[in-house]
PDB file of all heavy atoms in Angstrom:
ATOM      1  N   LYS A  94     -32.625  33.880   8.912  1.00 81.00           N
ATOM      2  CA  LYS A  94     -33.701  34.859   8.722  1.00 81.00           C
ATOM      3  C   LYS A  94     -33.206  36.282   8.997  1.00 81.00           C
ATOM      4  O   LYS A  94     -32.518  36.519   9.992  1.00 81.00           O
ATOM      5  CB  LYS A  94     -34.853  34.528   9.687  1.00 81.00           C
ATOM      6  CG  LYS A  94     -36.186  34.696   9.055  1.00 81.00           C
ATOM      7  CD  LYS A  94     -37.294  34.185   9.932  1.00 81.00           C
ATOM      8  CE  LYS A  94     -38.613  34.510   9.218  1.00 81.00           C
ATOM      9  NZ  LYS A  94     -39.733  34.200  10.020  1.00 81.00           N
ATOM     10  N   GLY A  95     -33.555  37.185   8.101  1.00 81.00           N
ATOM     11  CA  GLY A  95     -33.217  38.587   8.316  1.00 81.00           C
ATOM     12  C   GLY A  95     -31.791  38.945   7.916  1.00 81.00           C
ATOM     13  O   GLY A  95     -31.399  40.104   8.019  1.00 81.00           O
ATOM     14  N   MET A  96     -31.013  37.947   7.484  1.00 84.00           N
ATOM     15  CA  MET A  96     -29.615  38.203   7.120  1.00 84.00           C
ATOM     16  C   MET A  96     -29.548  38.803   5.714  1.00 84.00           C
ATOM     17  O   MET A  96     -30.112  38.222   4.777  1.00 84.00           O
ATOM     18  CB  MET A  96     -28.878  36.858   7.142  1.00 84.00           C
ATOM     19  CG  MET A  96     -27.433  36.923   7.504  1.00 84.00           C
ATOM     20  SD  MET A  96     -26.782  35.240   7.476  1.00 84.00           S
ATOM     21  CE  MET A  96     -25.286  35.468   8.368  1.00 84.00           C
ATOM     22  N   GLU A  97     -28.885  39.924   5.556  1.00 84.00           N
ATOM     23  CA  GLU A  97     -28.674  40.505   4.227  1.00 84.00           C
ATOM     24  C   GLU A  97     -27.523  39.767   3.551  1.00 84.00           C
ATOM     25  O   GLU A  97     -26.723  39.118   4.220  1.00 84.00           O
ATOM     26  CB  GLU A  97     -28.314  41.989   4.362  1.00 84.00           C
ATOM     27  CG  GLU A  97     -29.377  42.849   4.992  1.00 84.00           C
ATOM     28  CD  GLU A  97     -30.644  42.935   4.147  1.00 84.00           C
ATOM     29  OE1 GLU A  97     -30.541  42.877   2.910  1.00 84.00           O
ATOM     30  OE2 GLU A  97     -31.731  43.043   4.734  1.00 84.00           O
ATOM     31  N   ARG A  98     -27.438  39.968   2.212  1.00 80.00           N
ATOM     32  CA  ARG A  98     -26.373  39.279   1.488  1.00 80.00           C
ATOM     33  C   ARG A  98     -24.991  39.686   1.999  1.00 80.00           C
ATOM     34  O   ARG A  98     -24.091  38.859   2.130  1.00 80.00           O
ATOM     35  CB  ARG A  98     -26.489  39.552  -0.011  1.00 80.00           C
ATOM     36  CG  ARG A  98     -25.705  38.546  -0.814  1.00 80.00           C
ATOM     37  CD  ARG A  98     -25.773  38.845  -2.272  1.00 80.00           C
ATOM     38  NE  ARG A  98     -25.258  40.184  -2.546  1.00 80.00           N
ATOM     39  CZ  ARG A  98     -24.812  40.579  -3.722  1.00 80.00           C
ATOM     40  NH1 ARG A  98     -24.846  39.742  -4.738  1.00 80.00           N
ATOM     41  NH2 ARG A  98     -24.357  41.786  -3.905  1.00 80.00           N
ATOM     42  N   GLY A  99     -24.846  40.974   2.326  1.00 85.00           N
ATOM     43  CA  GLY A  99     -23.559  41.457   2.842  1.00 85.00           C
ATOM     44  C   GLY A  99     -23.185  40.759   4.149  1.00 85.00           C
ATOM     45  O   GLY A  99     -22.027  40.403   4.363  1.00 85.00           O
ATOM     46  N   ASP A 100     -24.197  40.538   5.009  1.00 88.00           N
ATOM     47  CA  ASP A 100     -23.942  39.846   6.289  1.00 88.00           C
ATOM     48  C   ASP A 100     -23.481  38.413   6.019  1.00 88.00           C
ATOM     49  O   ASP A 100     -22.589  37.888   6.689  1.00 88.00           O
ATOM     50  CB  ASP A 100     -25.217  39.772   7.146  1.00 88.00           C
ATOM     51  CG  ASP A 100     -25.799  41.148   7.449  1.00 88.00           C
ATOM     52  OD1 ASP A 100     -25.016  42.115   7.470  1.00 88.00           O
ATOM     53  OD2 ASP A 100     -27.024  41.247   7.642  1.00 88.00           O
ATOM     54  N   LEU A 101     -24.135  37.781   5.032  1.00 90.00           N
ATOM     55  CA  LEU A 101     -23.797  36.390   4.707  1.00 90.00           C
ATOM     56  C   LEU A 101     -22.357  36.300   4.206  1.00 90.00           C
ATOM     57  O   LEU A 101     -21.583  35.429   4.643  1.00 90.00           O
ATOM     58  CB  LEU A 101     -24.759  35.865   3.626  1.00 90.00           C
ATOM     59  CG  LEU A 101     -24.500  34.437   3.184  1.00 90.00           C
ATOM     60  CD1 LEU A 101     -24.973  33.457   4.244  1.00 90.00           C
ATOM     61  CD2 LEU A 101     -25.211  34.130   1.863  1.00 90.00           C
ATOM     62  N   LEU A 102     -21.996  37.223   3.313  1.00 91.00           N
ATOM     63  CA  LEU A 102     -20.639  37.192   2.760  1.00 91.00           C
ATOM     64  C   LEU A 102     -19.617  37.476   3.857  1.00 91.00           C
ATOM     65  O   LEU A 102     -18.553  36.856   3.917  1.00 91.00           O
ATOM     66  CB  LEU A 102     -20.509  38.205   1.616  1.00 91.00           C
ATOM     67  CG  LEU A 102     -21.332  37.878   0.361  1.00 91.00           C
ATOM     68  CD1 LEU A 102     -21.302  39.037  -0.625  1.00 91.00           C
ATOM     69  CD2 LEU A 102     -20.841  36.602  -0.322  1.00 91.00           C
ATOM     70  N   GLU A 103     -19.962  38.387   4.750  1.00 92.00           N
ATOM     71  CA  GLU A 103     -19.038  38.732   5.830  1.00 92.00           C
ATOM     72  C   GLU A 103     -18.839  37.535   6.778  1.00 92.00           C
ATOM     73  O   GLU A 103     -17.717  37.219   7.167  1.00 92.00           O
ATOM     74  CB  GLU A 103     -19.579  39.935   6.600  1.00 92.00           C
ATOM     75  CG  GLU A 103     -18.539  40.555   7.500  1.00 92.00           C
ATOM     76  CD  GLU A 103     -18.921  41.986   7.924  1.00 92.00           C
ATOM     77  OE1 GLU A 103     -20.106  42.368   7.800  1.00 92.00           O
ATOM     78  OE2 GLU A 103     -18.018  42.697   8.380  1.00 92.00           O
ATOM     79  N   ALA A 104     -19.959  36.877   7.113  1.00 93.00           N
ATOM     80  CA  ALA A 104     -19.870  35.726   8.025  1.00 93.00           C
ATOM     81  C   ALA A 104     -19.036  34.616   7.396  1.00 93.00           C
ATOM     82  O   ALA A 104     -18.228  33.953   8.066  1.00 93.00           O
ATOM     83  CB  ALA A 104     -21.272  35.210   8.346  1.00 93.00           C
ATOM     84  N   ASN A 105     -19.184  34.414   6.086  1.00 95.00           N
ATOM     85  CA  ASN A 105     -18.399  33.378   5.428  1.00 95.00           C
ATOM     86  C   ASN A 105     -16.951  33.805   5.225  1.00 95.00           C
ATOM     87  O   ASN A 105     -16.052  32.970   5.266  1.00 95.00           O
ATOM     88  CB  ASN A 105     -19.068  32.951   4.122  1.00 95.00           C
ATOM     89  CG  ASN A 105     -20.172  31.954   4.417  1.00 95.00           C
ATOM     90  OD1 ASN A 105     -19.900  30.830   4.809  1.00 95.00           O
ATOM     91  ND2 ASN A 105     -21.416  32.385   4.297  1.00 95.00           N
ATOM     92  N   GLY A 106     -16.761  35.116   5.066  1.00 94.00           N
ATOM     93  CA  GLY A 106     -15.388  35.612   4.991  1.00 94.00           C
ATOM     94  C   GLY A 106     -14.622  35.287   6.265  1.00 94.00           C
ATOM     95  O   GLY A 106     -13.444  34.933   6.229  1.00 94.00           O
ATOM     96  N   ALA A 107     -15.332  35.343   7.389  1.00 95.00           N
ATOM     97  CA  ALA A 107     -14.691  35.046   8.677  1.00 95.00           C
ATOM     98  C   ALA A 107     -14.273  33.581   8.765  1.00 95.00           C
ATOM     99  O   ALA A 107     -13.416  33.218   9.565  1.00 95.00           O
ATOM    100  CB  ALA A 107     -15.644  35.392   9.818  1.00 95.00           C
ATOM    101  N   ILE A 108     -14.860  32.742   7.934  1.00 98.00           N
ATOM    102  CA  ILE A 108     -14.485  31.322   7.895  1.00 98.00           C
ATOM    103  C   ILE A 108     -13.410  31.084   6.830  1.00 98.00           C
ATOM    104  O   ILE A 108     -12.375  30.470   7.083  1.00 98.00           O
ATOM    105  CB  ILE A 108     -15.733  30.453   7.592  1.00 98.00           C
ATOM    106  CG1 ILE A 108     -16.751  30.582   8.739  1.00 98.00           C
ATOM    107  CG2 ILE A 108     -15.338  29.003   7.356  1.00 98.00           C
ATOM    108  CD1 ILE A 108     -18.081  29.884   8.473  1.00 98.00           C
ATOM    109  N   PHE A 109     -13.651  31.593   5.610  1.00 98.00           N
ATOM    110  CA  PHE A 109     -12.805  31.194   4.477  1.00 98.00           C
ATOM    111  C   PHE A 109     -11.505  31.993   4.379  1.00 98.00           C
ATOM    112  O   PHE A 109     -10.544  31.511   3.776  1.00 98.00           O
ATOM    113  CB  PHE A 109     -13.623  31.220   3.175  1.00 98.00           C
ATOM    114  CG  PHE A 109     -14.594  30.080   3.141  1.00 98.00           C
ATOM    115  CD1 PHE A 109     -15.878  30.205   3.664  1.00 98.00           C
ATOM    116  CD2 PHE A 109     -14.198  28.838   2.674  1.00 98.00           C
ATOM    117  CE1 PHE A 109     -16.755  29.125   3.691  1.00 98.00           C
ATOM    118  CE2 PHE A 109     -15.061  27.748   2.696  1.00 98.00           C
ATOM    119  CZ  PHE A 109     -16.343  27.892   3.205  1.00 98.00           C
TER     120      PHE A 109
END
Side-chain angles (χ1 to χ4, degrees):
K94 220 172 176 186
M96 211 180 196
E97 298 295 328
R98 198 182 58 158
D100 302 333
L101 179 75
L102 293 171
E103 194 162 17
N105 278 291
I108 296 174
F109 288 89

